[in-house]
Amino acid sequence: MVPVFNPGPGLETLIESFDAQTLKPDEFEVILCDDGSDEATRRRLAEITATRANVRVLTLAHTGWPGTPRNHGIDAARGRYVFFSDQDDVMFERALEQLCDYADRHSSDVVIGKVVGIGRRIPRAIFRRDIPRATLGKDPILELLTPHKLFRMSFLREHNIRFPDGRVRLEDHLFVMQAYFSARTISVLATEPCYGWVKNQGSASSSRIDPATYFPHLERVLDLVEDKTAPGSLRDTLFRHWYRGKILKRLDGARMVAYPEVYREAFLDAVIPIARQRFGPGVEKGLAFPLRIRSRFLKEGRRAELLRLAEFEAGLECRAEVISARWTRGGTLTLEIRVRVLRDGQDALTFTPREVARVRPSSSMTRAAIWQPPPGVEQSALTERDLDASRDLRSDWVELRLLDSIERAEYLVPGRARVSSGLARATLDPIRVFSRRDTSSGGRLVASVRRAGWTFETPLRADPAVLADAAGSPFLAGHRCWLALHSDGTLELRRDVGGGQLREFVARAARRAARALRRVAR
């Protein structure tokens, strides 16, 4: 089901992806819910339906928002399941068949199929593994609350689950959370790419929010959660998702520093009362270290402190550099990575070891890592417990992604490497990285780094000399992969999809061997 309003050329790509589905055309229908488009679009839609018996158009009055068109689609749908797509995205060819089979196999009311970002970032934890029966508050299904999921039609109708009509921000959160609270079985299909979510400039999700009109809609979502849960850990866990993502992350370094002063003040005017009234100690407890500091300043109305903290964060730079690389006999690549967080070329995150008293029992002591705030951030406003980052430091990690410039997509390299004393050892298996991507020739390697609760994205870098140990072995293992250094010093994982690159590599290796033999002969 697709809400449509004066679409761009992406609509043809979406329709082609429906045409390519492994389900037969008589096994599924496509409902295009036209939200009062112009005459040119109506002609396009008529041309699409003229040659496709399984595509029909609902011609509707213009509302300017997708909720009402989707509701009309729910009323008109005749299948056992419904999948909500947007007009400029794309479906992978096996998606509908795999989603329906998975729902049948597990009696699912909701199936979250793997979403691949095309020009946009996708939360990663939700798609690390298949979850046949996910638990709300335990499994990471809150990470993606867009409607791009499969829903059992009888389930939606039985519980009268609808999108809010009219121009309602976070309408997808309201719809999906109703479904999550009502569903008997929520499933995650992570091993099969299903939906390509395309980043488009000018969409509602990419524009800066108006605090005065946006946050009342957020409170409507919180009201729903409050109505469906009792006070305690589950509610705190759910509330933490919106506090972190919709408020605190909008006050991080780069964003907050870029806000005009008038906008920043309006934002804080809107969110300070919500933070104080809605998000108590149980919500704060599970936040990452820098978000706990940010939350303390926010609730106390310390606006100048928030800005100083943001200015400090905006100046942080993370560097991830490969200091050794080697292929194993099994064909995997082991990278040793040095991680540093810098500001003005110097180590920026400083922690002082200290013995502090435990809360329970009060007589015992524990080892703490006390953060040294930067100049301009008033340390006296924070207690030792506020400044203790030891819990977060124990969870430092590095995760690698492959950015495919041809497909405009990113792919997670399976496995997360723990950081200890600034070093991480990551293992990369090309077979898993390139699984089901037979035409890709590779892409740049990017490191996601977590340091004391701060997260960074940075290109993986290496000195040319480091790559010498990584030459040759992958070809012997049959993977035809190699590491390459881009002109700017960033690292790429490439593979030969034709044969010419392999021949070139073998020729270079032969020339190196010949030069080595001549040196020995001398």
Side-chain angles (χ1 to χ4, degrees):
M1 181 183 305
V2 188
V4 174
F5 178 71
N6 295 342
L11 180 62
E12 273 69 27
T13 304
L14 175 64
I15 296 299
E16 289 170 4
S17 74
F18 287 136
D19 292 341
Q21 291 299 302
T22 52
L23 284 181
K24 297 176 182 177
D26 61 356
E27 294 179 307
F28 73 101
E29 66 173 353
V30 178
I31 303 177
L32 303 176
C33 306
D34 180 19
D35 190 47
S37 296
D38 59 22
E39 182 60 33
T41 297
R42 290 197 292 271
R43 287 197 299 270
R44 287 176 67 191
L45 298 182
E47 291 168 1
I48 289 170
T49 58
T51 55
R52 297 169 176 85
N54 68 329
V55 179
R56 58 185 171 125
V57 176
L58 303 182
T59 303
L60 309 169
H62 181 59
T63 66
W65 213 250
T68 298
R70 287 174 179 146
N71 287 337
H72 282 286
I74 292 172
D75 293 336
R78 298 176 292 212
R80 286 191 301 126
Y81 300 105
V82 60
F83 186 94
F84 295 101
S85 171
D86 288 336
Q87 64 184 15
D88 44 15
D89 293 332
V90 66
M91 300 289 296
F92 286 79
E93 64 179 17
R94 288 162 46 92
L96 294 178
E97 181 179 8
Q98 293 296 310
L99 285 164
C100 293
D101 287 350
Y102 201 73
D104 287 344
R105 191 155 61 248
H106 301 293
S107 301
S108 311
D109 293 319
V110 183
V111 180
I112 309 163
K114 183 174 183 177
V115 177
V116 176
I118 302 176
R120 70 163 71 236
R121 294 292 313 280
I122 300 297
R124 294 188 288 276
I126 188 173
F127 298 124
R128 292 189 189 283
R129 60 185 179 89
D130 286 351
I131 309 175
R133 290 174 175 79
T135 301
L136 183 62
K138 176 185 175 184
D139 295 305
I141 57 176
L142 285 182
E143 283 203 347
L144 200 62
L145 290 175
T146 64
H148 311 133
K149 301 171 176 60
L150 188 81
F151 298 87
R152 188 182 298 274
M153 282 303 312
S154 60
F155 160 73
L156 294 182
R157 288 171 175 156
E158 176 189 352
H159 295 278
N160 193 32
I161 297 172
R162 313 276 290 181
F163 289 90
D165 289 309
R167 193 176 178 85
V168 177
R169 297 301 299 260
L170 300 175
E171 85 286 346
D172 45 0
H173 290 215
L174 286 166
F175 180 86
V176 172
M177 289 307 297
Q178 288 181 72
Y180 282 177
F181 282 122
S182 301
R184 288 163 298 193
T185 304
I186 304 167
S187 302
V188 178
L189 175 58
T191 51
E192 186 76 28
C194 297
Y195 190 74
W197 191 13
V198 180
K199 175 71 171 181
N200 286 289
Q201 295 299 321
S203 66
S205 61
S206 64
S207 59
R208 183 180 289 173
I209 63 168
D210 173 19
T213 59
Y214 180 89
F215 286 106
H217 295 298
L218 173 61
E219 292 212 76
R220 189 171 167 184
V221 177
L222 300 178
D223 288 340
L224 171 64
V225 174
E226 203 165 74
D227 181 60
K228 298 292 185 179
T229 60
S233 61
L234 175 59
R235 181 185 292 178
D236 289 342
T237 298
L238 301 184
F239 270 19
R240 190 179 304 124
H241 168 78
W242 285 280
Y243 189 32
R244 179 174 52 228
K246 301 304 181 184
I247 295 180
L248 293 176
K249 287 192 175 180
R250 285 190 163 109
L251 295 173
D252 69 5
R255 285 192 186 185
M256 191 173 183
V257 169
Y259 292 155
E261 184 179 356
V262 171
Y263 180 85
R264 182 169 61 244
E265 291 303 309
F267 189 100
L268 293 174
D269 287 344
V271 301
I272 287 174
I274 299 173
R276 289 171 175 168
Q277 295 163 16
R278 296 282 196 163
F279 306 119
V283 176
E284 281 188 319
K285 185 178 179 181
L287 293 171
F289 172 70
L291 298 187
R292 296 197 299 273
I293 300 292
R294 204 174 297 164
S295 177
R296 170 59 65 90
F297 288 155
L298 180 67
K299 288 184 175 183
E300 294 181 357
R302 294 178 175 270
R303 300 182 184 219
E305 301 285 355
L306 277 170
L307 183 56
R308 298 291 86 75
L309 178 62
E311 289 170 343
F312 166 76
E313 292 175 326
L316 296 178
E317 176 196 4
C318 182
R319 291 187 63 88
E321 183 178 10
V322 174
I323 58 175
S324 72
R326 62 183 180 83
W327 292 91
T328 68
R329 286 184 174 274
T332 60
L333 177 63
T334 299
L335 303 175
E336 190 170 13
I337 303 168
R338 179 187 292 122
V339 174
R340 297 183 70 192
V341 179
L342 307 171
R343 197 171 194 274
D344 299 326
Q346 303 296 318
D347 289 325
L349 299 180
T350 305
F351 302 90
T352 302
R354 191 175 302 169
E355 295 287 333
V356 297
R358 289 182 184 271
V359 177
R360 290 192 194 93
S362 57
S363 58
S364 65
M365 303 293 287
T366 185
R367 191 79 164 171
I370 305 300
W371 182 48
Q372 302 301 307
V377 176
E378 182 57 56
Q379 186 167 350
S380 62
L382 302 166
T383 67
E384 273 198 337
R385 288 185 62 194
D386 294 329
L387 294 168
D388 182 9
S390 54
R391 183 188 75 186
D392 297 82
L393 288 167
R394 289 193 293 269
S395 303
D396 286 353
W397 48 256
V398 170
E399 199 167 61
L400 301 182
R401 292 179 292 116
L402 185 76
L403 300 187
D404 191 316
S405 59
I406 296 175
E407 296 182 9
R408 292 180 59 214
E410 63 177 49
Y411 298 87
L412 181 67
V413 175
R416 176 177 283 182
R418 187 176 179 276
V419 178
S420 178
S421 301
L423 296 176
R425 179 166 295 180
T427 300
L428 189 154
D429 184 347
I431 291 179
R432 296 183 69 187
V433 172
F434 292 111
S435 176
R436 303 191 58 79
R437 298 172 59 234
D438 298 333
T439 60
S440 175
S441 60
R444 295 200 185 195
L445 288 168
V446 172
S448 298
V449 176
R450 188 172 180 88
R451 169 67 172 162
W454 277 277
T455 55
F456 305 91
E457 299 289 325
T458 182
L460 201 59
R461 300 179 181 277
D463 187 278
V466 170
L467 303 189
D469 291 338
S473 298
F475 291 98
L476 299 178
H479 298 327
R480 302 198 303 181
C481 298
W482 69 98
L483 288 175
L485 206 58
H486 196 265
S487 58
D488 63 2
T490 59
L491 203 56
E492 298 180 342
L493 178 66
R494 313 301 307 180
R495 78 165 174 172
D496 181 19
V497 295
Q501 292 169 318
L502 174 58
R503 288 191 294 273
E504 182 182 345
F505 173 85
V506 172
R508 287 200 306 269
R511 289 194 294 270
R512 285 198 300 271
R515 287 196 296 270
L517 287 172
R518 285 196 294 272
R519 285 196 297 271
V520 172
R522 293 195 195 102

